[in-house]
Amino acid sequence: MLPPPAVFHFLWEINTDLVKDGASVRTNGRLISYKPEGSKAVLSGQQSSAQCHVYVQTTLVEPFQPILGAQYFVLGEIEKTDGLTGVILHARALSNVDGVDLTLMQKAIREQRCFFKKRIPEINEQAPHCEPSYVKNL
Amino acid sequence: MAVNPADADADELPSVLWGLDPVFSAYSRLYITDILQMKESRQVPGVYFYKTHPLFQVDVLGTVVYKREREDFYCYGVDDSTGVINCLCWKNEKWNDQGESTECRDPSGSSRGFNIEDELKRLKEAERKSTVLEIGDLLRVRGTLKTSRDAREIRATSFYKVNDPLMAVQISRMLEMPQLYRKCYDQLFQMPRDDLGGTEAGGSSHFHCLLSRSVLALKEFLLEKEVARFRPYDVEFLLHPLIQSSSAEQVLSMTLTSIILR
């Protein structure tokens, strides 16, 4: 009855094998395009110098006010397709979080993952990295 | 540690000592996955154990992913990224009569001064709005934990929609939770040490003895006087004969005496 919990993933992790098909995730990125007729949006994120894109299906969260260039927080299910788009995120919740402190948020997520990993190291799948917050990886 | 041989649940903290753990009286901020996996106490149903801490009240913050509305309550499914739990949020009847709110408002907005009725209506409306949420909104719930039909749920004592446009509240919660766990929830519950005079082995048994004598004194008094309700400080005088041994406790008893005499 209740949907599964949506684990926080960074945008660049969604295209990798860390996230399985059908998994519930929450992530954030910058809205760079939106097509209302197909309910398709594209979020982009940056890791070091590499840009990555994720397609978002926004059927369930419409209508919403799209602000291109703003940061959005999205929660939904991943569908891995073999087509050109690759991975599609079917959004169940979408909100504008423009102005969010990205550095602080990433630090918080990493610290939380570190904590989870230390608790149950052998069965933890949610922490791909565990870097202490004082180690800068830029 | 003195173990009562009659107590079959030796691995659980005896229920008489639960009040000594501050976590028991607080709304614990646990991850929802821990809330769902906690074991129920064998001594008292309705109380749950997270490691060595007994608790029954929790505080969660998460995204609403499920909503069900009935006449008297909302049932919101809250997801904090570790788990999803149902929260039963009762509606307040005073929010229902909002029909006349718009008519009484002064449309011109002239400086009539502070109109208490209008302000009260606006307050009620604001309260009501903070309790109606849609999927995707952020919800904060504080309530008691219950298990009904094999599912854990939270019966909210207070709940409200959190306005978090910059995700500041969620980020600070994410930073704070591991600290809370390390400093508090994952720490083993320690029995309070007796005064400096007592030995390590004798300390806790002396404390148990003290505790059982004080419980007995209170019970006898309540039965004898046929007291139905009482305030704690009214009966503290019963415990005075029991706590005479050390200087620390003399200070305590002096404080209690001064409170009672005031």
Side-chain angles (χ1 to χ4, degrees), chain A residues 1-8 26 28 73 75 92-101 104-105 107-109 111-112 114-116 118-119 126, chain B residues 31 33-34 50-51 63 65-66 68 77 79-86 135-136 164-167 170-171 173-175 177-179 181-182 186:
Chain A
M1 195 176 67
L2 283 174
V7 180
F8 226 120
R26 52 180 88 190
N28 69 295
F73 167 83
L75 189 157
R92 276 190 279 132
L94 183 82
S95 57
N96 184 334
V97 292
D98 209 24
V100 62
D101 187 340
L104 191 63
M105 187 174 70
K107 175 187 165 193
I109 294 169
E111 282 197 11
Q112 201 169 52
C114 235
F115 176 68
F116 288 145
K118 282 186 195 146
R119 293 176 94 195
Q126 299 171 10
Chain B
Y31 290 117
T33 179
D34 292 329
Y50 175 74
K51 296 200 174 170
T63 315
V65 292
Y66 172 79
R68 189 175 74 209
D79 176 354
D80 74 342
S81 85
T82 64
V84 188
I85 193 167
N86 264 327
I135 293 187
D164 195 20
L166 303 179
M167 290 186 69
Q170 292 174 78
I171 292 173
R173 185 102 173 186
M174 273 198 277
L175 287 168
M177 297 279 274
Q179 300 296 327
Y181 270 78
R182 281 185 205 114
D186 286 344

Side-chain angles (χ1 to χ4, degrees), chain B residues 16-250:
Chain B
V16 70
L17 300 174
W18 286 347
L20 293 173
D21 189 351
V23 173
F24 185 65
S25 321
Y27 286 91
S28 315
R29 293 188 186 185
L30 296 171
Y31 290 117
I32 293 181
T33 179
D34 292 329
I35 294 175
L36 293 171
Q37 288 169 10
M38 282 197 300
K39 291 196 176 61
E40 194 160 4
S41 162
R42 286 182 296 258
Q43 299 169 71
V44 178
V47 174
Y48 303 81
F49 270 89
Y50 175 74
K51 296 200 174 170
T52 55
H53 295 283
L55 56 99
F56 63 103
Q57 293 174 124
V58 290
D59 176 333
V60 298
L61 175 80
T63 315
V64 174
V65 292
Y66 172 79
K67 176 181 173 181
R68 189 175 74 209
E69 182 175 353
R70 293 278 180 271
E71 203 189 313
D72 311 331
F73 65 89
Y74 295 107
C75 183
Y76 292 119
V78 175
D79 176 354
D80 74 342
S81 85
T82 64
V84 188
I85 193 167
N86 264 327
C87 298
L88 213 74
C89 305
W90 295 99
K91 291 186 191 176
N92 199 328
E93 315 82 49
K94 67 178 178 179
W95 300 324
N96 290 341
D97 50 332
Q98 288 299 311
E100 35 332 331
S101 64
T102 44
E103 291 134 40
C104 292
R105 205 85 69 76
D106 185 0
S108 62
S110 64
S111 55
R112 238 193 239 177
F114 183 72
N115 186 338
I116 191 100
E117 277 188 23
D118 280 350
E119 297 301 322
L120 274 176
K121 284 197 163 75
R122 260 187 243 159
L123 178 65
K124 269 194 213 172
E125 182 62 27
E127 272 182 15
R128 195 189 61 83
K129 275 197 185 137
S130 76
T131 59
V132 181
L133 286 95
E134 299 305 323
I135 293 187
D137 289 338
L138 195 64
L139 175 67
R140 169 104 184 261
V141 177
R142 282 161 75 87
T144 39
L145 201 48
K146 293 255 156 61
T147 305
S148 83
R149 289 184 223 147
D150 288 332
R152 292 262 161 95
E153 61 179 24
I154 300 174
R155 301 260 168 100
T157 54
S158 64
F159 67 101
Y160 61 93
K161 175 166 144 183
V162 180
N163 279 324
D164 195 20
L166 303 179
M167 290 186 69
V169 177
Q170 292 174 78
I171 292 173
S172 69
R173 185 102 173 186
M174 273 198 277
L175 287 168
E176 167 194 60
M177 297 279 274
Q179 300 296 327
L180 271 178
Y181 270 78
R182 281 185 205 114
K183 289 184 188 159
C184 186
Y185 305 129
D186 286 344
Q187 299 285 336
L188 292 177
F189 170 57
Q190 299 273 344
M191 281 275 293
R193 286 265 166 261
D194 202 9
D195 58 27
L196 295 168
T199 61
E200 178 99 3
S204 53
S205 57
H206 171 70
F207 181 76
H208 272 290
C209 177
L210 193 66
L211 196 63
S212 45
R213 279 163 65 197
S214 42
V215 167
L216 199 62
L218 268 175
K219 279 186 176 168
E220 278 175 2
F221 175 79
L222 295 173
L223 271 172
E224 191 190 311
K225 305 285 178 187
E226 289 170 20
V227 172
R229 295 191 307 180
F230 64 94
R231 287 174 296 188
Y233 74 80
D234 288 339
V235 296
E236 269 171 3
F237 70 95
L238 293 167
L239 306 179
H240 284 174
L242 296 172
I243 46 169
Q244 292 162 352
S245 37
S246 80
S247 55
E249 279 157 343
Q250 274 172 353

